[in-house]
Every structure is written in structure tokens, then in C-alpha cells.
């Protein structure tokens, strides 16, 4: 009776409020698509709808962006379902076997949850405009069919995943467009300046960050997502202006964990969309380009979490309010928004028509996950090693973010695949080791993230093909077919207590926390030293790169010096070791020439035109959010105006640097390096420097057999295979084992190997005089991921990480991206070595 009264009151409130409900056009004062809607106005409209339709809409602010804009989430349901939305949400979590209360779920009559995510790429603007049309259509009392859908479907709507990027684009476009849009492709309103609005504040692509959650927007969104776990999820995008609309079903490769039902329903959704597009005469395509493999997209991440995850792509990047496409038609924002609006409603409709089956298959997905698990491996074991403790703990935090269950080992013996050797080996899972069972609700995610090698049904894939977390984090691990017992929690360090001293401290150089605390000490003006060789003192062994803090040269701080050091390091969670003398038990004493001073560097990051926005963003975010260390961003076109005497370290991300082709600017650059400047070059910047004659040479990847095929039948190929034939010399992203020289400062803190993500065919010839080959591929050493048959034998006997002496300066070379999307955790220390140690 009580619930009926609440429902009746809600219905009365809905009828009363609907009289004041306005359409987007009436509220904004313009038709959707004829102007761009700034983020704040979109927020105002959603607030208006929620205020006037409280029985059907609940609005939630689930966080904010780096620039302080709100992240908005709308729950849209029938008055009856909204009045009991928390019970329905909890029931859905129980259906996924994720509820802590262990209560039995109610499958019968449970609604399907459909989550619509708009505008993850800021300059793919039409979907946020469409979101306003969608919410209005769902609650408009004059529209009856949507009310029918909402009887068994709850719609969860995020109108803008990337407000900072969207406003960057919208504000720029508004500032350069006239009263009427110019459809000519060459017009400046279609030429977005660097870095563009696609990315978030730190130039990150948020659609590659779902699983890794390196960005604040992703962290807040996935936390919310895991509280709802929808049956259907759609990620709305735009693509090139000449492309027709794309919708499900997706292209191959599909990951093998994707169920038959998930595949089938993609087809059902696609057919429903096609019905409406055919009625309007709108072109579309399916089963091409956009696959379901890489786990950190807005379609794959939900799919691996039991949903029907999909990407929809509307032509329109750079189109502004309207642009002439190659066929001669004018594509307008009005058109683009209508297309996304149509697929939004079509998705909800087909979900409603199949709500019972969606819930049933969703329940089966999670029951199968906990009963038998996905894949042949039933347990994954991460071995604990003290030197890797920080990355071990970082991995656990990633598992927590993704709701993956784990426990400590019991000492049980087993046999399984060794990620290090690539062979079957015996091992035991000790009390400090991490055991991740494949028999859990997130079993599909566990398999996808930990499987040693991902199976590909098609090698023509949209993104990288290898990301096994033991390689990403540089941790020793095993995958076994045994169901290993696990017991107890893994306890993370929450605080450290550092001892007092009257002489000095030693800080092991073994992770990003160490670098952060070293940076904080340097910013306070403290003189530090680092050891080039291992040493032992007071029964503790310290490896190369250990930081030594002494009173010598720090007398200016007076009696509070040691307290300041203790408090700084403890605040950063870094354990330090007290020493009472500079006389060591083994190795070189603290006054030796093998112990070097370490000073506060003035660091510059090159940005702007010609520089990869994503590559620069990874580094900017790392300094700003992880190291908390000052870095000056200078646009490449302004380097000629820079005072080189005020720069100690110049970081050159992937890019094309025009100043290296200017004789005068190149000479000024080389002069600065030779006087003691330090360069950190990544990816394409290394190739640019190679052309500038600094002592490195790119290795020619000729055919292994050097056979001339031009006169043979092998040179013949069918025209339809022109794209696929190129795959033999290609890798979209594979993992390779690199041999390191751990005695060089660039490799301090590492063993004699490193797992790199290779995304191209580039390696360099071994350097001779004046250069150090710190990281090399000596033989065909691919570990995981797709590598073309022609490329495989070429990637050997070459340098990937090195250091070149140029006069009194140093150029550190990182041919592969050790900072990739900020989730390649094991590469970050090498980058820090390049900035703080190698060439100091």
C-alpha cells in the first residue's frame, strides 16, 4: 500500500510538472544543431528536465573534471521503477553475483538497464546535442511509445564524458565562426588548432582509459558504472566527415570470451537501427573497422563485464555546424545529432523488446563466470618481491578499481605458464603472493587482462594486441590450470615510520614513489647524492641509483633538517634507512667518485604544433599528477625564443620538429647540449635526432632472406587484398623482451631485462664510440601480440634504449613509448632515469 501511494504521488507530480517541461529548442532558444551548446547550458537543460519531471528523472553529479566542470548522470525510468530505483539497482548487482549481502536476486520482471555514453571525445560533438533530444523524448508526455519502453527498461544517461575537451572545441569554434557557418573544408572553422578538443585536459584519449583509469574522469565514471552494471552500453562517437554512420555488429576480431548471445544481440540491434536508417535513406555500414578486442574501450570494457557493449560512429570530426563532403552534399550538425538521436531511441526500443532475454543471459554470464570461469587458466599468481613492492601494490589498486577479487596464497604448489620464461614451470603461491582466481564474477576481465597471449580471429585490428598485466607491471607471474586455494587479504602499506639519524639516510631507487620524494626534497633545496654502484651498510644492501642524504652541503637547514627529511619521505609513503657513517661494508664509500651529486633540474617539455598531443599529455600528466614536480611547457615554435641557459633537461615527445631542420636553431640546440644540456627523446623524436647527426642511425629492416621478389609470382596479389597484404610487415602493438644493461643509469632500478610495447618496425644500429646501448633486442624476442610474418625476423640485433654523449651533454633515447597511455607502469622508472640520472 505504501509503495502504491508513493507511485500515485509521483504520477501526480509528473503530470503537474510536465506542464512546465520544455523541449531543448524552447529552453535553449534555438533548434538543436543550429548552434553549439556549451557544457553549462546542457547541464542547465538536464537540471530543468529533472526539476520538472522528478517522478521519471533523477540527476546525479558523480564528480568533476580537471578544470572543475561537473560530470552528470541521469537516471530515467517509469514513475513506478524510479520510486524503487535503489532496490532495482541492488537486484541488478545481485544478478551479477557482485552484492556483498549474498541475497538471491529476482530475475523475473527485472528491468534491463541501458547506459548511453555521449561525447567521450570532446570534438566529436553531435552526441551531447543528441542527448538532450533523447532525454526529452523519453519523458515528453506527448510521446507514448517511450513510456512503454520504460516499463521494463531503465535508461542511464551520461550526456558528456569529456566536458573539458568539448568546451575547448565549442569555445574555439564559436570564436572563429561567423553568423553563418562556412561549409568550405578549407575554412578556418574546420581547422582545429593544437591539441584539439578530442582529449581531456591532459591531452588523454579517454576512450582508451576505461580499464586503466589513469584519468580522473575515468576513475569517477567507472566507480559509478560498477555500481550499476548495465545489460546494454553504447559509446557515441564521430569519425571522418565522408564516412557513413557505423553501428553494430562489430568487426572481427572479437575476443574469445565474448558469448554467442552478446554476438547475436549486436546483430539484432544493428537490424533495428537499419530499419530506421533505411526509412530515411541514410547510409550506414557494419562489421568493419571497429573490432572488440582491446579491453579499455567504451564498447569492450562493458562487454567483458557482461554487457552488450557497442560503439556508434557518425561522420563529422571537424565538420563544425556544416561542411561539404566529397559527394557534394552538406553535412550539418542538425543531421549528425538526428542520427545519434535515432540510434539512441532504437537501442532503448530493442532493449525493451528483449528485456527478459537480456536479463536472463546477463544472469547466465555471471553464473558461468563464478561456476567455471572463462578460459583454460583457473588461477593467476603474482609473485611478491621486495624490490617490486610498489608496482605490486599498484597492480592491486588497479584490480580494486575494476572490482576484481584476489587473495593471498597459502603456499600451495602448482605448475603453470611462467610469464618470464614462456615455459611451463613448477612454483608455489606463498603467503605474500597474489592469487587471482578465474572463478569469480569478473572472470572475463581477469582472462582478458592476464592471459599470456591473446588469440586473434583476425589480425587486422584497431589497436594494440598485447597488454598482459605481468608484463605491463614488470612482475614475475604464473598462469595455471589449477584452482589454487587462497586465504586472507593482501595488506597494502598505508604508512611508514622512518627512523631518526644524526648522520644520513639512504633511499632505495626502486619506484615512482622514490622519484616523487626525491623531487620533493630537491624542490626544498636539499642536495642529494646517488650511488653508481651497489653497496652494503648496516646489514642492508642497496642497488645502483640509491639516493644518499647527508648533512654535508645541507648545513643551511639547521637542526630541523632531519625532521624535514623524515616528514617529507613519510608523507610520500617512502621507507628510508638511517646510516651512521659514510664508511660502507661493501662497495664504495659515500665520498667516492662513484657517488655523484644530484641537483634540482629545470625541466622543459616541448609541446605544440608537430608534437603528438597524446605523447606530450602523458608526460605532462605524469609530472603534474604523479611526480608533483615542476615542468615548463614550451611550444616547439617558441623554442627559438627560449633562454637555453635556463633549461637543464629538454623532453621531446613523439613528433615532427621543424626547428631541427633550421640550420641556426639546430646549431643553438647542439651548442646547448654540448655545454651540458640533457635531452630525453621519445619515439619519432629519436628519428628526427638521427637525421640531425648526433651519432645514431636507424637500422634498415630488409627482408631476412634478401630475396628479390619483384620477378616472382609472389609479387602478385589481388586488389581486394591490398590492405591485408600490408599486415605481414606490421605490428599494431606487441610485447618484446629487451636485454638491459642495468649498470647504466638509464636502467637503474631494473633487472637485466624489460618488456617493451612495440608499435612499429623501428630499431637502431648498435652505437659505438660515444654511445651506450642500454636496451637492445639481440634476437627475435617477441613475447605476445600480433607481429607480421615479414616483420618478425627483422626486429633483432638493434638498439631501443640508449644514451649518447654529445660534448658535455647527453641525449637519452627512448625509441619505444615507455609512458604509453600512462598504464605501462614498468616503463615509468626508465623515463625518470632519463630525466634525473642519465647524464646528471
Amino acid at each position: 500500500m505504501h509503495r502504491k501511494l508513493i507511485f500515485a504521488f509521483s504520477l501526480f507530480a509528473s503530470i503537474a510538472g510536465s506542464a512546465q517541461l520544455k523541449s531543448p529548442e524552447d529552453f535553449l532558444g534555438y533548434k538543436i544543431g543550429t548552434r553549439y551548446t556549451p557544457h553549462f547550458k546542457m547541464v542547465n537543460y538536464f537540471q530543468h528536465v529533472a526539476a520538472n519531471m522528478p517522478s521519471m528523472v533523477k540527476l546525479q553529479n558523480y564528480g568533476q573534471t580537471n578544470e572543475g566542470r561537473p560530470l552528470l548522470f541521469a537516471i530515467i525510468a517509469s514513475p513506478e521503477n524510479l520510486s524503487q530505483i535503489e532496490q532495482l539497482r541492488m537486484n541488478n548487482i545481485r544478478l551479477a553475483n557482485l552484492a556483498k549481502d549474498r541475497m538471491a536476486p529476482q530475475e523475473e520482471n527485472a528491468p534491463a538497464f541501458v547506459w548511453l555514453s555521449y561525447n567521450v571525445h570532446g570534438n566529436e560533438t553531435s552526441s551531447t546535442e543528441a542527448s538532450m533530444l533523447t532525454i526529452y523524448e523519453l519523458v515528453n508526455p506527448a510521446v507514448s511509445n517511450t513510456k512503454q519502453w520504460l516499463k521494463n527498461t531503465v535508461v542511464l544517461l551520461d550526456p558528456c564524458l569529456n566536458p573539458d575537451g568539448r568546451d575547448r572545441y565549442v569555445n574555439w569554434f564559436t570564436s572563429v565562426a561567423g553568423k553563418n557557418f562556412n561549409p568550405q573544408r578549407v575554412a578556418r572553422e574546420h581547422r582545429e588548432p593544437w591539441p584539439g578538443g578530442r582529449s581531456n585536459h591532459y591531452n588523454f584519449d579517454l576512450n582508451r582509459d576505461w580499464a586503466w583509469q589513469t584519468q580522473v574522469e575515468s576513475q569517477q565514471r567507472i566507480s559509478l558504472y560498477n555500481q550499476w552494471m548495465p545489460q546494454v552500453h553504447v559509446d557515441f562517437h564521430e569519425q571522418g566527415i565522408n564516412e557513413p554512420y557505423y553501428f553494430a555488429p562489430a568487426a572481427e576480431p572479437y575476443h574469445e570470451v565474448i558469448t554467442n548471445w552478446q554476438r547475436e544481440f549486436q546483430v539484432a540491434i544493428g537490424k533495428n537501427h537499419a530499419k530506421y536508417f533505411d526509412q530515411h535513406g541514410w547510409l550506414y555500414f557494419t562489421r568493419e573497422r571497429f573490432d572488440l578486442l582491446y579491453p579499455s574501450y567504451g564498447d569492450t570494457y562493458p562487454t567483458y563485464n557482461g554487457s552488450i557493449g557497442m560503439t556508434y560512429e557518425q561522420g563529422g570530426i571537424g565538420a563544425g555546424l556544416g561542411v561539404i563532403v566529397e559527394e557534394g552534399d552538406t553535412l550539418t550538425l542538425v543531421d549528425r545529432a538526428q542520427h545519434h538521436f535515432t540510434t539512441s531511441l532504437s537501442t532503448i526500443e530493442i532493449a525493451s523488446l528483449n528485456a527478459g532475454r537480456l536479463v536472463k543471459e546477463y544472469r547466465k554470464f555471471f553464473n558461468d563466470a563464478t561456476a567455471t570461469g572463462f578460459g583454460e587458466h583457473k588461477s593467476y599468481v603474482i609473485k611478491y618481491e621486495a624490490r617490486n613492492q610498489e608496482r605490486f601494490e599498484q597492480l592491486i589498486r588497479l584490480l580494486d578499481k575494476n572490482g576484481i577479487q584476489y587473495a593471498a596464497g597459502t603456499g600451495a604448489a602448482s605448475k603453470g605458464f611462467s610469464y618470464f620464461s614462456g615455459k611451463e614451470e613448477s612454483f608455489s603461491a606463498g603467503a605474500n603472493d597474489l592469487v587471482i582466481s578465474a572463478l569469480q564474477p569478473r572472470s572475463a576481465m581477469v582472462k582478458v587482462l592476464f592471459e599470456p597471449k591473446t588469440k586473434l580471429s583476425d589480425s587486422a585490428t584497431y589497436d594494440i594486441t598485447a597488454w598482459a598485466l605481468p608484463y605491463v607491471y614488470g612482475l614475475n607471474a604464473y598462469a595455471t590450470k589449477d584452482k589454487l586455494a587462497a586465504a586472507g587479504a593482501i595488506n597494502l602499506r598505508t604508512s611508514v615510520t622512518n627512523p631518526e639519524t644524526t648522520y644520513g639516510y639512504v633511499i632505495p631507487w626502486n619506484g615512482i614513489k622514490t622519484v616523487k620524494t626525491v623531487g620533493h626534497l630537491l624542490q626544498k633545496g636539499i642536495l642529494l647524492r646517488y650511488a653508481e654502484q651497489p653497496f652494503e651498510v648496516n646489514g642492508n644492501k642497496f642497488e645502483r641509483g640509491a639516493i644518499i642524504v647527508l648533512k654535508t652541503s645541507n648545513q643551511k637547514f639547521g637542526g630541523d633538517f632531519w625532521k624535514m627529511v623524515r616528514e617529507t619521505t613519510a608523507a610520500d609513503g617512502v621507507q628510508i634507512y638511517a646510516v651512521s657513517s659514510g664508511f660502507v661494508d661493501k662497495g664504495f664509500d659515500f665520498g667516492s667518485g662513484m657517488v655523484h651529486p644530484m641537483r634540482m633540474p629545470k625541466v622543459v617539455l616541448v609541446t605544440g604544433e608537430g608534437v603528438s598531443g597524446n605523447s606530450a599529455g602523458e608526460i605532462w600528466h605524469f609530472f603534474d599528477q604523479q611526480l608533483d614536480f615542476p615542468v615548463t611547457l614550451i611550444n616547439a615554435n617558441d623554442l627559438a625564443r627560449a633562454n637555453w641557459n635556463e633549461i637543464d633537461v629538454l623532453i621531446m615527445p613523439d613528433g615532427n620538429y621543424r626547428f631541427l631542420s633550421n640550420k641556426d636553431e639546430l646549431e643553438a640546440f647542439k651548442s646547448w647540449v654540448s655545454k651540458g644540456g640533457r635531452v630525453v627523446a621519445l619515439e619519432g623524436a629519436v628519428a628526427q635526432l638521427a637525421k640531425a647527426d648526433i651519432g645514431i642511425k636507424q637500422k634498415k629492416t630488409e627482408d631476412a632472406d634478401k630475396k628479390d621478389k619483384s620477378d616472382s609470382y609472389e609479387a602478385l596479389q589481388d586488389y581486394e587484398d591490398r590492405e591485408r597484404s600490408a599486415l605481414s610487415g606490421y605490428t599494431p602493438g606487441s610485447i618484446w623482451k629487451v636485454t638491459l644493461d642495468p649498470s647504466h643509469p638509464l636502467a637503474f632500478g631494473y633487472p637485466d631485462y624489460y618488456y617493451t610495447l612495440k608499435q612499429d618496425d623501428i630499431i637502431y644500429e648498435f652505437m659505438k664510440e660515444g654511445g651506450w646501448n642500454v636496451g637492445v633486442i639481440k634476437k627475435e624476442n617477441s613475447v605476445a601480440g600480433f607481429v607480421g610474418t615479414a616483420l618478425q625476423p627483422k626486429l633483432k640485433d638493434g638498439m631501443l634504449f640508449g644514451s649518447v654523449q654529445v660534448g658535455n651533454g647527453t641525449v637519452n633515447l627512448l625509441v619505444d613509448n615507455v609512458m604509453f597511455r600512462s598504464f605501462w607502469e614498468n616503463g615509468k622508472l626508465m623515463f625518470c632515469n632519463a630525466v634525473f640520472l642519465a647524464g646528471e
Side-chain angles (χ1 to χ4, degrees), residues 37-73:
T37 307
H39 183 260
F40 80 92
K41 284 190 176 181
M42 178 276 292
V43 171
N44 290 346
Y45 182 67
F46 270 75
Q47 290 173 339
H48 161 77
V49 173
N52 285 281
M53 299 298 291
S55 66
M56 296 186 69
V57 178
K58 183 178 180 181
L59 204 58
Q60 180 180 342
N61 184 334
Y62 69 87
Q64 66 177 23
T65 67
N66 287 291
E67 297 175 16
R69 293 181 177 87
L71 293 166
L72 213 59
F73 178 68

Short mmCIF file of all heavy atoms in Angstrom, two decimals, residues 37-73:
data_model
loop_
_atom_site.label_atom_id
_atom_site.label_comp_id
_atom_site.label_asym_id
_atom_site.label_seq_id
_atom_site.Cartn_x
_atom_site.Cartn_y
_atom_site.Cartn_z
N THR A 37 25.98 23.93 -28.20
CA THR A 37 25.53 24.13 -26.83
C THR A 37 26.71 23.98 -25.88
O THR A 37 27.27 22.88 -25.76
CB THR A 37 24.45 23.10 -26.46
OG1 THR A 37 23.40 23.13 -27.43
CG2 THR A 37 23.90 23.38 -25.07
N PRO A 38 27.12 25.05 -25.21
CA PRO A 38 28.20 24.92 -24.23
C PRO A 38 27.81 23.96 -23.12
O PRO A 38 26.61 23.74 -22.86
CB PRO A 38 28.37 26.35 -23.70
CG PRO A 38 27.73 27.23 -24.71
CD PRO A 38 26.62 26.42 -25.32
N HIS A 39 28.78 23.41 -22.45
CA HIS A 39 28.52 22.39 -21.43
C HIS A 39 27.57 22.90 -20.35
O HIS A 39 26.65 22.19 -19.93
CB HIS A 39 29.83 21.91 -20.83
CG HIS A 39 29.66 20.81 -19.83
ND1 HIS A 39 29.67 21.02 -18.47
CD2 HIS A 39 29.43 19.48 -19.99
CE1 HIS A 39 29.49 19.87 -17.85
NE2 HIS A 39 29.34 18.93 -18.73
N PHE A 40 27.77 24.13 -19.90
CA PHE A 40 26.94 24.63 -18.80
C PHE A 40 25.48 24.74 -19.20
O PHE A 40 24.58 24.51 -18.38
CB PHE A 40 27.48 25.97 -18.27
CG PHE A 40 27.11 27.18 -19.08
CD1 PHE A 40 25.97 27.92 -18.80
CD2 PHE A 40 27.90 27.59 -20.14
CE1 PHE A 40 25.64 29.03 -19.53
CE2 PHE A 40 27.58 28.70 -20.89
CZ PHE A 40 26.44 29.43 -20.60
N LYS A 41 25.23 25.04 -20.47
CA LYS A 41 23.84 25.13 -20.91
C LYS A 41 23.21 23.74 -21.01
O LYS A 41 22.01 23.57 -20.73
CB LYS A 41 23.75 25.84 -22.26
CG LYS A 41 23.94 27.35 -22.18
CD LYS A 41 23.60 28.03 -23.49
CE LYS A 41 23.69 29.55 -23.37
NZ LYS A 41 23.34 30.23 -24.65
N MET A 42 24.00 22.76 -21.42
CA MET A 42 23.49 21.39 -21.42
C MET A 42 23.15 20.96 -20.00
O MET A 42 22.10 20.35 -19.75
CB MET A 42 24.53 20.45 -22.02
CG MET A 42 24.15 18.98 -22.05
SD MET A 42 24.50 18.11 -20.50
CE MET A 42 26.29 18.14 -20.52
N VAL A 43 24.02 21.28 -19.03
CA VAL A 43 23.75 20.96 -17.63
C VAL A 43 22.47 21.63 -17.18
O VAL A 43 21.62 21.02 -16.52
CB VAL A 43 24.93 21.39 -16.74
CG1 VAL A 43 24.58 21.26 -15.26
CG2 VAL A 43 26.17 20.55 -17.06
N ASN A 44 22.31 22.90 -17.55
CA ASN A 44 21.09 23.62 -17.17
C ASN A 44 19.84 22.94 -17.72
O ASN A 44 18.81 22.87 -17.04
CB ASN A 44 21.15 25.06 -17.70
CG ASN A 44 22.17 25.91 -16.96
OD1 ASN A 44 22.64 25.53 -15.89
ND2 ASN A 44 22.52 27.05 -17.54
N TYR A 45 19.94 22.43 -18.95
CA TYR A 45 18.76 21.78 -19.52
C TYR A 45 18.44 20.48 -18.79
O TYR A 45 17.26 20.20 -18.49
CB TYR A 45 18.95 21.50 -21.02
CG TYR A 45 17.70 20.87 -21.60
CD1 TYR A 45 16.52 21.60 -21.70
CD2 TYR A 45 17.69 19.53 -22.00
CE1 TYR A 45 15.35 21.02 -22.20
CE2 TYR A 45 16.53 18.94 -22.49
CZ TYR A 45 15.35 19.69 -22.58
OH TYR A 45 14.20 19.12 -23.05
N PHE A 46 19.44 19.69 -18.49
CA PHE A 46 19.19 18.45 -17.76
C PHE A 46 18.61 18.75 -16.37
O PHE A 46 17.73 18.02 -15.89
CB PHE A 46 20.47 17.62 -17.66
CG PHE A 46 20.65 16.66 -18.81
CD1 PHE A 46 21.03 17.13 -20.06
CD2 PHE A 46 20.41 15.31 -18.65
CE1 PHE A 46 21.18 16.27 -21.13
CE2 PHE A 46 20.55 14.43 -19.71
CZ PHE A 46 20.94 14.91 -20.96
N GLN A 47 19.08 19.79 -15.75
CA GLN A 47 18.52 20.18 -14.44
C GLN A 47 17.06 20.61 -14.59
O GLN A 47 16.22 20.31 -13.72
CB GLN A 47 19.36 21.30 -13.84
CG GLN A 47 20.74 20.85 -13.39
CD GLN A 47 21.63 22.00 -12.95
OE1 GLN A 47 21.39 23.17 -13.31
NE2 GLN A 47 22.66 21.70 -12.16
N HIS A 48 16.77 21.31 -15.68
CA HIS A 48 15.39 21.71 -15.95
C HIS A 48 14.48 20.49 -16.10
O HIS A 48 13.39 20.43 -15.52
CB HIS A 48 15.35 22.56 -17.23
CG HIS A 48 13.99 22.65 -17.86
ND1 HIS A 48 12.99 23.47 -17.37
CD2 HIS A 48 13.46 22.00 -18.94
CE1 HIS A 48 11.91 23.34 -18.11
NE2 HIS A 48 12.15 22.45 -19.08
N VAL A 49 14.94 19.50 -16.87
CA VAL A 49 14.12 18.29 -17.07
C VAL A 49 13.91 17.56 -15.75
O VAL A 49 12.80 17.14 -15.42
CB VAL A 49 14.79 17.36 -18.11
CG1 VAL A 49 14.04 16.03 -18.19
CG2 VAL A 49 14.84 18.03 -19.48
N ALA A 50 14.99 17.42 -14.98
CA ALA A 50 14.88 16.71 -13.70
C ALA A 50 13.95 17.44 -12.73
O ALA A 50 13.18 16.81 -11.99
CB ALA A 50 16.26 16.54 -13.08
N ALA A 51 14.01 18.77 -12.75
CA ALA A 51 13.17 19.55 -11.83
C ALA A 51 11.70 19.45 -12.20
O ALA A 51 10.83 19.48 -11.32
CB ALA A 51 13.62 21.01 -11.84
N ASN A 52 11.42 19.33 -13.49
CA ASN A 52 10.02 19.31 -13.94
C ASN A 52 9.46 17.90 -14.10
O ASN A 52 8.24 17.75 -14.23
CB ASN A 52 9.89 20.08 -15.25
CG ASN A 52 9.95 21.59 -15.06
OD1 ASN A 52 8.96 22.20 -14.66
ND2 ASN A 52 11.13 22.16 -15.27
N MET A 53 10.32 16.90 -14.11
CA MET A 53 9.84 15.52 -14.20
C MET A 53 10.51 14.66 -13.12
O MET A 53 11.18 13.65 -13.41
CB MET A 53 10.16 14.95 -15.60
CG MET A 53 9.51 15.69 -16.74
SD MET A 53 7.70 15.63 -16.67
CE MET A 53 7.41 13.90 -17.02
N PRO A 54 10.33 15.03 -11.86
CA PRO A 54 11.04 14.31 -10.78
C PRO A 54 10.58 12.87 -10.61
O PRO A 54 11.30 12.06 -10.03
CB PRO A 54 10.70 15.14 -9.54
CG PRO A 54 9.40 15.82 -9.87
CD PRO A 54 9.48 16.12 -11.34
N SER A 55 9.41 12.52 -11.12
CA SER A 55 8.94 11.14 -10.99
C SER A 55 9.59 10.22 -12.01
O SER A 55 9.53 9.00 -11.88
CB SER A 55 7.42 11.08 -11.15
OG SER A 55 7.06 11.43 -12.48
N MET A 56 10.23 10.80 -13.03
CA MET A 56 10.83 9.99 -14.09
C MET A 56 12.34 10.20 -14.23
O MET A 56 13.00 9.38 -14.89
CB MET A 56 10.17 10.30 -15.44
CG MET A 56 8.70 9.94 -15.53
SD MET A 56 8.07 10.18 -17.21
CE MET A 56 8.91 8.88 -18.09
N VAL A 57 12.86 11.26 -13.65
CA VAL A 57 14.28 11.59 -13.85
C VAL A 57 14.94 11.89 -12.51
O VAL A 57 14.42 12.69 -11.72
CB VAL A 57 14.46 12.80 -14.79
CG1 VAL A 57 15.94 13.14 -14.95
CG2 VAL A 57 13.84 12.52 -16.16
N LYS A 58 16.05 11.25 -12.29
CA LYS A 58 16.89 11.56 -11.15
C LYS A 58 18.26 11.95 -11.67
O LYS A 58 18.88 11.22 -12.43
CB LYS A 58 17.01 10.36 -10.21
CG LYS A 58 17.82 10.63 -8.95
CD LYS A 58 17.85 9.40 -8.04
CE LYS A 58 18.66 9.69 -6.79
NZ LYS A 58 18.72 8.49 -5.90
N LEU A 59 18.73 13.13 -11.29
CA LEU A 59 20.00 13.65 -11.78
C LEU A 59 21.06 13.54 -10.69
O LEU A 59 20.79 13.85 -9.52
CB LEU A 59 19.83 15.12 -12.20
CG LEU A 59 20.81 15.69 -13.23
CD1 LEU A 59 20.78 14.88 -14.52
CD2 LEU A 59 20.47 17.15 -13.51
N GLN A 60 22.24 13.10 -11.08
CA GLN A 60 23.33 12.91 -10.12
C GLN A 60 24.60 13.54 -10.66
O GLN A 60 24.97 13.33 -11.82
CB GLN A 60 23.54 11.41 -9.88
CG GLN A 60 24.65 11.07 -8.90
CD GLN A 60 24.80 9.56 -8.70
OE1 GLN A 60 23.89 8.79 -9.02
NE2 GLN A 60 25.94 9.15 -8.19
N ASN A 61 25.27 14.30 -9.82
CA ASN A 61 26.60 14.82 -10.15
C ASN A 61 27.62 13.83 -9.59
O ASN A 61 27.78 13.73 -8.38
CB ASN A 61 26.78 16.22 -9.53
CG ASN A 61 28.10 16.87 -9.91
OD1 ASN A 61 29.08 16.19 -10.21
ND2 ASN A 61 28.14 18.19 -9.88
N TYR A 62 28.26 13.06 -10.45
CA TYR A 62 29.13 12.00 -9.95
C TYR A 62 30.60 12.39 -9.85
O TYR A 62 31.44 11.55 -9.53
CB TYR A 62 28.96 10.73 -10.78
CG TYR A 62 29.49 10.76 -12.20
CD1 TYR A 62 30.82 10.44 -12.48
CD2 TYR A 62 28.64 11.06 -13.27
CE1 TYR A 62 31.29 10.43 -13.79
CE2 TYR A 62 29.11 11.05 -14.57
CZ TYR A 62 30.43 10.74 -14.83
OH TYR A 62 30.90 10.72 -16.12
N GLY A 63 30.92 13.63 -10.11
CA GLY A 63 32.31 14.07 -9.99
C GLY A 63 32.55 15.34 -10.76
O GLY A 63 31.60 16.02 -11.19
N GLN A 64 33.83 15.66 -10.96
CA GLN A 64 34.16 16.82 -11.76
C GLN A 64 35.47 16.59 -12.50
O GLN A 64 36.26 15.72 -12.16
CB GLN A 64 34.26 18.09 -10.90
CG GLN A 64 35.40 18.12 -9.90
CD GLN A 64 35.45 19.45 -9.15
OE1 GLN A 64 34.45 20.16 -9.05
NE2 GLN A 64 36.61 19.79 -8.63
N THR A 65 35.67 17.38 -13.53
CA THR A 65 36.85 17.25 -14.39
C THR A 65 38.04 17.98 -13.78
O THR A 65 37.92 18.66 -12.75
CB THR A 65 36.56 17.84 -15.77
OG1 THR A 65 36.41 19.26 -15.63
CG2 THR A 65 35.29 17.25 -16.37
N ASN A 66 39.17 17.90 -14.46
CA ASN A 66 40.36 18.63 -14.02
C ASN A 66 40.13 20.13 -13.99
O ASN A 66 40.72 20.84 -13.17
CB ASN A 66 41.54 18.31 -14.96
CG ASN A 66 42.09 16.92 -14.75
OD1 ASN A 66 42.69 16.61 -13.74
ND2 ASN A 66 41.87 16.06 -15.74
N GLU A 67 39.28 20.60 -14.89
CA GLU A 67 39.01 22.04 -14.96
C GLU A 67 37.79 22.45 -14.16
O GLU A 67 37.35 23.60 -14.23
CB GLU A 67 38.87 22.46 -16.43
CG GLU A 67 40.16 22.24 -17.22
CD GLU A 67 40.02 22.54 -18.71
OE1 GLU A 67 39.02 23.21 -19.09
OE2 GLU A 67 40.89 22.13 -19.49
N GLY A 68 37.24 21.52 -13.39
CA GLY A 68 36.16 21.85 -12.47
C GLY A 68 34.76 21.75 -13.01
O GLY A 68 33.80 22.16 -12.34
N ARG A 69 34.59 21.20 -14.21
CA ARG A 69 33.24 21.06 -14.76
C ARG A 69 32.57 19.82 -14.18
O ARG A 69 33.22 18.80 -13.97
CB ARG A 69 33.30 20.97 -16.29
CG ARG A 69 33.77 22.26 -16.94
CD ARG A 69 33.80 22.14 -18.46
NE ARG A 69 34.19 23.41 -19.06
CZ ARG A 69 35.46 23.78 -19.29
NH1 ARG A 69 36.45 22.95 -18.96
NH2 ARG A 69 35.74 24.94 -19.83
N PRO A 70 31.26 19.89 -13.97
CA PRO A 70 30.56 18.74 -13.36
C PRO A 70 30.40 17.59 -14.35
O PRO A 70 30.23 17.79 -15.55
CB PRO A 70 29.19 19.33 -12.99
CG PRO A 70 28.99 20.47 -13.95
CD PRO A 70 30.36 21.05 -14.18
N LEU A 71 30.48 16.38 -13.81
CA LEU A 71 30.19 15.16 -14.57
C LEU A 71 28.78 14.72 -14.17
O LEU A 71 28.51 14.48 -13.00
CB LEU A 71 31.22 14.08 -14.26
CG LEU A 71 32.65 14.39 -14.75
CD1 LEU A 71 33.66 13.44 -14.11
CD2 LEU A 71 32.73 14.30 -16.27
N LEU A 72 27.92 14.61 -15.16
CA LEU A 72 26.48 14.47 -14.91
C LEU A 72 26.00 13.08 -15.30
O LEU A 72 26.50 12.48 -16.25
CB LEU A 72 25.73 15.52 -15.74
CG LEU A 72 24.45 16.12 -15.16
CD1 LEU A 72 24.75 16.80 -13.83
CD2 LEU A 72 23.88 17.14 -16.15
N PHE A 73 25.00 12.61 -14.57
CA PHE A 73 24.46 11.27 -14.79
C PHE A 73 22.95 11.33 -14.55
O PHE A 73 22.51 11.76 -13.48
CB PHE A 73 25.12 10.29 -13.82
CG PHE A 73 24.64 8.88 -13.90
CD1 PHE A 73 24.91 8.10 -15.01
CD2 PHE A 73 23.95 8.31 -12.83
CE1 PHE A 73 24.48 6.77 -15.06
CE2 PHE A 73 23.54 6.99 -12.86
CZ PHE A 73 23.80 6.22 -13.99
#
